[in-house]
Amino acid sequence: MKLVLLPALLLIGLLPVSAKVVEYDLRIAETTVAPAGKSVPGLTINGTIPGPVLRFTEGDWARIRVHNDLAHHTTSTHWHGVLLPNAQDGVPEVTTPSIQPGTFHTFEFPIIQSGTYWYHSHTHLQEQQGLYGTIVIQPKTPPPSARRASREHVLMFSDWTNEHPHEVLRSLARGSEWYSLKKGTTQSLFGAWKAGAVRDFFGRERARMKAMDLSDVAYDAFLINGQRTSTLTGNPGDRVLLRLVNGSASTYFYVESATGPLTLIAADGHPVKPVKVNRLLMAIGETYDALITLPASGRPEIRATAHDGSGYASAFIGQGPDMAASGPPLPDLYRMDHMMEAALDEGGAVKAPRPAAPYPLLESPVPTTLPKGRSVTEIPLHLTGDMERYIWSFNGRTMTEESVIPVKKGDILRMELINDTMMHHPIHLHGFFFRLINQHGARSPLKHTVDVPPMGRHTIEFEANETGDWMFHCHLLYHMMAGMGRVVSVRDGTTRISHPGVTSHDAPPPPAGLPAPHGHGGDFEIGPEKAGVKQAEALGVNLGEHAHDMPALWATVSLQSHLSEGFINLRHSRNDYNLMWEAGWQDVDDTEYEIDATWERYFGPNFRAFAGARLTNREDAENRAIAGVRYRLPGMFWSSATLDSEGDARFTFAKTLQFTSRLSAFAKVEYDTGSEWEWAAGTEYTLTKSLSLTTQYSSDYGFGGGVVLRF
């Protein structure tokens, strides 16, 4: 397979006369669909989810017209894993113009590779709504007999939510626990007791770590080729090539066959030496080619189980009675042993009942070493974020805070990806295949997407031999939209930017005026929100929709028999604009209220500062300006210290403890130098995403109960 791209103009000018032009028309439209049994609006390609399989042969010329039949929204199409000229990559405004409503865009590029790939929208959250499909490219010459099959099937795995994805992202940004409850993965004291993990439960809280989960979203269905259960053709004895594609928005899948081990023969389109796996962990964006043989005893199930155990999709191949696959054991969310195995002992972890990605087993059949004598830039990239706030980044900076990795054409870029979070991250590079360095050395496999497990790390390297601006991002869709991305900008004669710990061999210093190196990992050093946008403008890089952060607005209101309290929050980047109140009418002569209107700055998962105004009608109090800090203590206690313009200080300690998946208890103790001690304690029982029941005792207003509403 060719690994070197030619410039777009040269390719177009030298289109071989003998090249076969393969044309497709793809029409993107809004359609009522029901993948999970409920009719909701979705986005389709030629009327279906997923879109049609695009088939080519190496050496063809692709001409694909993408028609935008949406009434009000732009769209785009990215050709995931396909080597092509930069202008054809399909990332809106970064490489290719957005496709306006009622118009079409023609993509043209040579097919210079073979294998299994896919395509999807790169506009906002449209991929989650159904805009994806697969690409199959046959090699010019037949594969060796060991890789040949009598039949092949494309299996595209995806996830589906009946919620609009913008509401999903808003729910994630507010730190809602509803998705964990819906999936049955909420961590609680009762759950820890049943699992024999009470010590682990409180150990995690002492370490100020949020409850671990393997995925962000509670999905309504998991799909193979758009169906919960698919039926595929086959005859006993057939040797079947399965082209496996994880086209989900945010779900890792365990894939297994009732026939026994899968024989992997390609990863991300590139051949690997055949290797057997009992169960395959597929990161979002990855593709694998696998061989199975159909038995005479029935039709085996190919099962794709969500990484968090919340559901699965099935495809049955062949004839006769169903042969069920077993599925992996449920994850142990209270203990992190299996995650540490994946991070530290990859050789053993790939054979576990819940295996890690099969990277230690992957060996290229040919050497993949890069040219000698090239300049090498080494960059450590820490994968950072805060699940509670839902901000994701590289080296503690979102894409608007640091956007571009400039690279000189012909140089070798070597990245060490270091995951400082407790989530898996599928990191995808546009425009290139990278060497995923493993124990096979010179025969390390070539990939375009790599899973970096919690607290794990991988080293990748590639030759920057094609000019242009190429996206590099987490392929978990909501993580990318929350800031986890960069643009690798390859230019003739471009010098490289300085990164934390960067080592450049035979490299000039960074250009004057670029942002200085910064802290990374858990430090979350803060710079101007738009520093990355200015950096991109200075380098002539267009960021498109990534040039701004997505704001989120929500409210929580408690209405009880004796009091009301709540807050309204507008979040943008690292800033919060809050309106918080408490009003009580029981055990007092007249209704009392206190309202805080503040601007709050996020400095990291455990520290925030705020300033604003406090309005009140309480006796012996008056309106005043306030400023203070919030700090999370070991044990997951939130503390705050506030100083007001009248010279009074207030100190608050608060704690919430999850007893069961739906029942929690909360308590707050407050000392004010003006009004002295105040405290409250209560319980809350979750009914739905928007509604809970609550009871509370307040030292000021007595005992009562009511409801909590979330908007």
Side-chain angles (χ1 to χ4, degrees):
M1 183 180 292
K2 299 179 181 178
L3 302 179
V4 180
L5 291 173
L6 298 176
L9 292 177
L10 180 62
L11 284 170
I12 294 173
L14 297 180
L15 171 61
V17 176
S18 60
K20 177 184 177 182
V21 178
V22 179
E23 300 188 58
Y24 287 97
D25 282 272
L26 304 179
R27 306 201 75 98
I28 294 174
E30 185 173 44
T31 309
T32 299
V33 297
K38 178 183 178 181
S39 295
V40 293
L43 300 180
T44 60
I45 303 174
N46 294 0
T48 63
I49 297 175
V53 179
L54 307 185
R55 295 185 177 273
F56 304 94
T57 299
E58 187 179 5
D60 288 346
W61 183 269
R63 180 175 295 147
I64 308 170
R65 290 173 290 272
V66 180
H67 303 259
N68 183 359
D69 293 340
L70 302 174
H72 306 293
H73 300 287
T74 63
T75 192
S76 61
T77 306
H78 164 60
W79 317 100
H80 185 109
V82 178
L83 298 173
L84 36 60
N86 185 251
Q88 307 299 311
D89 193 48
V91 180
E93 312 313 326
V94 178
T95 65
T96 313
S98 294
I99 307 173
Q100 300 298 316
T103 68
F104 70 92
H105 183 89
T106 301
F107 292 88
E108 295 200 53
F109 48 88
I111 302 297
I112 62 173
Q113 62 198 102
S114 62
T116 304
Y117 305 97
W118 63 298
Y119 61 96
H120 59 85
S121 172
H122 225 286
T123 299
H124 295 291
L125 301 169
Q126 290 179 353
E127 180 190 329
Q128 178 74 90
Q129 295 175 277
L131 293 190
Y132 47 81
T134 51
I135 300 171
V136 173
I137 306 174
Q138 299 292 345
K140 274 185 179 180
T141 57
S145 58
R147 299 173 183 271
R148 294 179 192 172
S150 54
R151 186 185 299 269
E152 76 170 45
H153 287 295
V154 177
L155 277 66
M156 187 169 209
F157 312 125
S158 60
D159 44 31
W160 181 264
T161 172
N162 289 329
E163 284 189 290
H164 193 284
H166 285 283
E167 172 60 21
V168 172
L169 186 57
R170 190 179 78 95
S171 298
L172 294 170
R174 70 178 294 171
S176 171
E177 300 294 335
W178 172 250
Y179 290 143
S180 293
L181 174 59
K182 186 177 177 182
K183 292 185 297 179
T185 59
T186 302
Q187 285 198 37
S188 66
L189 185 58
F190 181 66
W193 174 75
K194 288 200 303 181
V198 173
R199 180 177 296 180
D200 300 89
F201 179 87
F202 285 110
R204 172 186 59 77
E205 295 220 328
R206 282 195 301 273
R208 299 185 297 184
M209 295 174 62
K210 286 286 290 181
M212 180 179 63
D213 203 352
L214 295 175
S215 63
D216 297 339
V217 183
Y219 282 102
D220 294 295
F222 300 103
L223 311 173
I224 296 179
N225 297 343
Q227 303 291 324
R228 287 175 166 179
T229 302
S230 302
T231 300
L232 305 172
T233 59
N235 297 312
D238 279 353
R239 194 180 195 210
V240 181
L241 171 63
L242 302 177
R243 297 184 180 271
L244 309 174
V245 181
N246 187 350
S248 67
S250 65
T251 302
Y252 279 59
F253 285 103
Y254 282 118
V255 182
E256 61 187 294
S257 169
T259 60
L262 298 165
T263 301
L264 304 182
I265 61 171
D268 287 352
H270 278 273
V272 296
K273 288 188 175 181
V275 61
K276 293 182 182 296
V277 295
N278 293 320
R279 188 172 286 137
L280 172 66
L281 178 63
M282 287 191 69
I284 302 156
E286 288 188 312
T287 73
Y288 285 92
D289 290 359
L291 292 171
I292 63 170
T293 300
L294 298 185
S297 53
R299 58 174 199 160
E301 177 189 19
I302 308 298
R303 181 179 294 190
T305 304
H307 193 207
D308 62 7
S310 59
Y312 64 89
S314 299
F316 290 89
I317 306 178
Q319 306 168 16
D322 291 348
M323 300 172 57
S326 60
L330 291 174
D332 182 354
L333 297 176
Y334 293 96
R335 301 176 181 87
M336 296 178 287
D337 295 348
H338 61 288
M339 285 195 171
M340 294 303 100
E341 289 173 3
L344 303 174
D345 182 19
E346 295 183 353
V350 298
K351 300 176 183 178
R354 291 179 57 84
Y359 304 149
L361 306 177
L362 302 183
E363 181 180 359
S364 171
V366 297
T368 59
T369 50
L370 299 176
K372 302 288 186 182
R374 301 292 177 88
S375 295
V376 178
T377 299
E378 298 181 351
I379 299 178
L381 280 180
H382 287 252
L383 283 51
T384 46
D386 182 349
M387 180 65 190
E388 184 178 20
R389 186 179 181 84
Y390 216 76
I391 184 170
W392 299 99
S393 53
F394 287 123
N395 289 345
R397 291 195 174 187
T398 66
M399 194 161 177
T400 58
E401 294 167 342
E402 185 173 301
S403 303
V404 185
I405 302 175
V407 185
K408 182 180 178 181
K409 184 180 180 182
D411 282 2
I412 290 172
L413 189 62
R414 182 177 298 137
M415 297 180 178
E416 186 177 15
L417 305 176
I418 307 158
N419 191 350
D420 292 342
T421 79
M422 290 305 296
M423 289 203 73
H424 288 254
H425 296 286
I427 305 301
H428 172 55
L429 173 66
H430 289 217
F432 303 91
F433 284 90
F434 51 74
R435 301 181 73 237
L436 174 57
I437 306 302
N438 65 9
Q439 66 267 39
H440 298 296
R443 294 178 180 260
S444 292
L446 295 169
K447 295 188 95 278
H448 53 60
T449 304
V450 59
D451 166 48
V452 188
M455 300 300 162
R457 61 179 63 199
H458 285 299
T459 299
I460 64 173
E461 63 178 15
F462 65 97
E463 180 189 1
N465 53 19
E466 174 69 5
T467 57
D469 299 328
W470 303 98
M471 284 292 295
F472 177 74
H473 61 92
C474 179
H475 216 283
L476 203 159
L477 180 61
Y478 299 102
H479 288 191
M480 179 185 72
M481 296 306 297
M484 203 170 197
R486 292 286 187 273
V487 172
V488 175
S489 184
V490 182
R491 307 291 176 91
D492 290 317
T494 300
T495 51
R496 289 164 295 280
I497 193 171
S498 179
H499 281 257
V502 67
T503 302
S504 292
H505 309 288
D506 189 27
L514 290 180
H518 53 77
H520 57 254
D523 297 332
F524 287 97
E525 183 175 328
I526 303 303
E529 267 77 31
K530 294 297 182 180
V533 178
K534 294 177 181 178
Q535 173 204 19
E537 291 173 350
L539 294 171
V541 175
N542 193 341
L543 298 179
E545 64 188 40
H546 301 286
H548 58 85
D549 296 304
M550 298 182 68
L553 175 68
W554 62 83
T556 298
V557 179
S558 175
L559 300 174
Q560 301 181 51
S561 58
H562 60 318
L563 60 82
S564 172
E565 58 189 6
F567 67 89
I568 301 172
N569 177 280
L570 173 62
R571 176 170 297 169
H572 186 256
S573 183
R574 300 180 187 267
N575 301 304
D576 286 286
Y577 304 93
N578 299 313
L579 185 67
M580 296 172 286
W581 71 87
E582 179 185 74
W585 46 81
Q586 185 171 282
D587 296 342
V588 291
D589 295 333
D590 296 303
T591 298
E592 296 180 348
Y593 69 82
E594 185 175 272
I595 302 171
D596 285 2
T598 60
W599 162 73
E600 185 170 283
R601 179 67 172 178
Y602 171 87
F603 288 98
N606 300 314
F607 181 69
R608 301 162 194 192
F610 61 90
R614 176 169 292 157
L615 310 177
T616 184
N617 69 344
R618 288 183 172 179
E619 187 178 354
D620 298 328
E622 58 187 53
N623 299 337
R624 60 195 67 192
I626 59 172
V629 296
R630 305 186 204 280
Y631 184 72
R632 181 156 52 192
L633 298 166
M636 302 296 279
F637 289 88
W638 272 107
S639 65
S640 67
T642 308
L643 183 66
D644 65 37
S645 55
E646 298 299 313
D648 288 330
R650 179 179 293 182
F651 304 94
T652 303
F653 297 89
K655 165 74 174 175
T656 297
L657 182 63
Q658 196 75 36
F659 279 115
T660 71
S661 59
R662 292 183 180 269
L663 179 65
S664 62
F666 57 88
K668 179 180 74 171
V669 178
E670 185 174 278
Y671 180 78
D672 191 296
T673 55
S675 57
E676 299 188 342
W677 291 98
E678 178 182 338
W679 66 274
T683 62
E684 183 174 331
Y685 187 84
T686 302
L687 296 175
T688 70
K689 183 179 181 181
S690 303
L691 177 64
S692 297
L693 302 178
T694 187
T695 61
Q696 182 177 350
Y697 179 82
S698 165
S699 60
D700 285 348
Y701 308 117
F703 180 81
V707 297
V708 178
L709 304 174
R710 296 179 178 84
F711 304 95

